[in-house]
Amino acid sequence: SFFLKPPLYSHPKRQCPPPPAHPKLNQRRDISSWLAKWFPKAPAKSVVALKTPIKVELVAGKTYRWCVCGRSKKQQPFCDGSHFFQRTGLSPLKFKVQETRVVALCTCKATQKPPYCDGTHRSERVQKAEVGSPL
């Protein structure tokens, strides 16, 4: 038919060059650098939120998210999402208790039994550290 044209790159005797790359379609480098800013390969170190534990009543069956990074300002010792917006690469520790009880949760972030306080905050290393600085 008169209105049908052959495809642009189908000439049998000529090799047509490929179409030029569209600048917005070749953004792998831009995307990976953007992802690296938000999701670093090496996570940041936790910082000392406070130098004493916080006693809280944990309710049986409820799921809690303990702040690992130490940067939560609103809900310490629980996560408020600061780790994401400050691009730490860290995630909160999700846990659930079997029975309702009052416990001391760590805020120095140096405990060996997270999320529970093990007394590490009494060490000279933690007491000499500035609040908001890594150990």
Side-chain angles (χ1 to χ4, degrees), residues 1 4 7 34 41-43 46 63 72 85 90 101-103 112 132:
S1 151
L4 294 178
W34 178 84
K41 289 182 182 174
S46 297
T63 300
S72 291
F85 296 106
L90 299 170
R101 60 189 173 132
V102 175
V103 297
Q112 297 299 306

Side-chain angles (χ1 to χ4, degrees), residues 60-78:
K62 184 175 177 184
T63 300
Y64 296 92
R65 287 173 178 77
W66 179 70
C67 172
V68 169
C69 71
R71 291 165 175 84
S72 291
K73 299 289 183 212
K74 299 175 189 170
Q75 299 179 345
Q76 200 58 249
F78 301 109

